[in-house]
Amino acid sequence: MVYTKPQLFKPPKSNVLTMTPWFAPVIWEGTYNLDILNEQFRQSNMVVGLTVFAIKKYVIFLQKFLETAETYFMVGHRVKYYIFTDRPEAVPNITVKAGRELVPLRVENYPRWQEISMRRMEMISHYSQQRFIHEVDFLVCVDVDMRFSDHVGVEILSEVFGTIHPGFYASERKAFTYERRPNSEAYIPQDEGDFYYAGGFFGGTVAEVYMLTKKCQEAIMADKNKGIEAIWQEESHLNKYFVYHKPTKILSPEYVWDNNLGSPQFLKKKRFLAVPKNHSAVRNK
Ligand code: 5GW
Ligand code: MN
């Protein structure tokens, strides 16, 4: 517990928002002391579940995803990788470090890609209630077409957290690609909303992730019955949820980046990066 004391009149960052108006911290490199956070987390002996979906050709992303997670994700802590897949035999047999475990979970395959993407909410809510609640304390729910490229640790954990989408961090509200049709359950009026959150990185305690995914799942089904599908599927519903259930922590775009967006000055770390995909090869629609 030896470190330089916090300086009330020398905030570590002044170029970016580090606290929302509802007092949720925004996590950037330089805002936290990992030694303190790790110490606190260790004392609680908690377990983190990382959920990822690899359906059909997306199993090809698992090798790099898991290898890099072993290097950068929650190092030194207990981790369960929950891999939802229609092809458990295609899950790479990688050796994981002590305290970490690979758990393949067989799921159905859906013919439409929009359905594959949206059904993640249903699967996560179902397994949260049936299984995750008994096995882990926190859930981190991410896309698989990604690789870890820098530290992602306990600084992200909180009751419920979302990540600022790398394509919209500087956008005005009106430019957010929220669902704008009032007959969708994901509808957000022009004068509401804080950030545009990425569908590919959210999480929290199992209880909170259960509520979030359940609510999104119900909204998706209600839309389906009305014959409407939100513009960005489950990402639209996640954004709607966060307007009215504010995240208790916000991850900066350091936590979901895409090198097509360059390397702006404010971005000190690229922790979780989109893997370029050959759309025609992996997305046999
Ligand atoms: C297939 C065709 C088009 C879009 C998505 C898929 C697809 C997605 C798939 O065939 N299998 C699959 O497991 N997924 C899961 O949904 C992956 O976990 C993937 O990361 C997630 C979201 O789809 P992405 O990553 O293609 O969406 P973007 O918005 O990151 O391009
Ligand atoms: Mn993706």
Side-chain angles (χ1 to χ4, degrees):
M1 281 293 135
V2 179
Y3 52 89
T4 53
K5 89 167 182 69
Q7 300 283 335
L8 198 51
F9 299 104
K10 288 195 192 113
K13 279 216 181 277
S14 52
N15 63 324
V16 290
L17 187 74
T18 60
M19 184 69 86
T20 66
W22 60 94
F23 286 135
V26 186
I27 312 306
W28 300 91
E29 177 63 10
T31 58
Y32 60 88
N33 179 321
L34 188 61
D35 297 330
I36 303 176
L37 297 178
N38 273 336
E39 190 61 30
Q40 289 176 327
F41 193 77
R42 279 255 65 87
Q43 286 173 358
S44 65
N45 198 34
M46 290 191 288
V47 188
V48 180
L50 182 62
T51 73
V52 75
F53 287 72
I55 316 277
K56 294 197 280 193
K57 293 193 176 171
Y58 276 54
V59 293
I60 62 163
F61 293 109
L62 282 171
Q63 182 80 32
K64 186 111 251 122
F65 176 90
L66 291 168
E67 265 173 30
T68 58
E70 280 294 292
T71 308
Y72 293 115
F73 183 75
M74 300 291 163
V75 176
H77 301 290
R78 296 168 61 197
V79 171
K80 280 193 165 207
Y81 297 103
Y82 294 113
I83 303 166
F84 291 88
T85 182
D86 58 332
R87 296 170 54 194
E89 73 287 351
V91 174
N93 194 3
I94 75 156
T95 339
V96 294
K97 296 203 186 83
R100 304 168 78 98
E101 194 186 335
L102 279 182
V103 183
L105 299 171
R106 185 189 284 277
V107 291
E108 238 184 284
N109 162 22
Y110 289 96
R112 289 177 65 244
W113 68 263
Q114 294 90 339
E115 194 86 356
I116 293 176
S117 197
M118 288 192 298
R119 290 279 177 177
R120 292 187 288 174
M121 291 297 185
E122 182 182 19
M123 297 298 162
I124 295 168
S125 76
H126 177 81
Y127 276 86
S128 291
Q129 199 178 29
Q130 296 299 314
R131 179 165 184 173
F132 302 157
I133 192 73
H134 306 295
E135 299 188 355
V136 298
D137 297 284
F138 288 97
L139 286 169
V140 179
C141 309
V142 299
D143 267 16
V144 74
D145 56 341
M146 304 289 291
R147 64 186 165 91
F148 292 87
S149 53
D150 210 322
H151 169 88
V152 174
V154 300
E155 74 282 357
I156 71 171
L157 301 176
S158 188
E159 287 293 304
V160 57
F161 62 87
T163 306
I164 296 172
H165 192 295
F168 299 91
Y169 60 82
S171 302
E172 289 303 316
R173 246 186 204 154
K174 61 178 184 305
F176 290 162
T177 55
Y178 290 155
E179 176 56 64
R180 301 299 189 183
R181 293 167 297 174
N183 54 336
S184 167
E185 300 290 322
Y187 170 66
I188 301 173
Q190 290 288 346
D191 53 357
E192 295 186 47
D194 305 290
F195 303 104
Y196 188 78
Y197 298 97
F201 199 146
F202 65 89
T205 60
V206 181
E208 284 289 334
V209 169
Y210 172 73
M211 290 196 284
L212 179 158
T213 52
K214 178 92 179 145
K215 196 94 178 203
C216 288
Q217 159 61 11
E218 285 168 359
I220 288 166
M221 283 304 153
D223 271 8
K224 205 183 179 72
N225 291 332
K226 287 189 269 184
I228 189 168
E229 185 173 281
I231 176 166
W232 291 105
Q233 293 83 36
E234 79 296 338
E235 184 172 79
S236 306
H237 292 279
L238 177 75
N239 272 279
K240 171 72 177 267
Y241 186 86
F242 280 154
V243 175
Y244 303 108
H245 309 81
K246 304 288 194 208
T248 53
K249 221 177 231 187
I250 316 274
L251 309 186
S252 72
E254 293 172 3
Y255 291 86
V256 173
W257 194 255
D258 184 327
N259 273 334
N260 291 328
L261 299 167
S263 304
Q265 246 297 301
F266 70 84
L267 200 74
K268 300 304 177 206
K269 292 210 158 177
K270 296 176 179 178
R271 304 172 190 270
F272 192 47
L273 272 174
V275 172
K277 52 185 183 260
N278 178 338
H279 285 249
S280 57
V282 295
R283 291 185 158 179
N284 53 341
K285 289 187 189 176

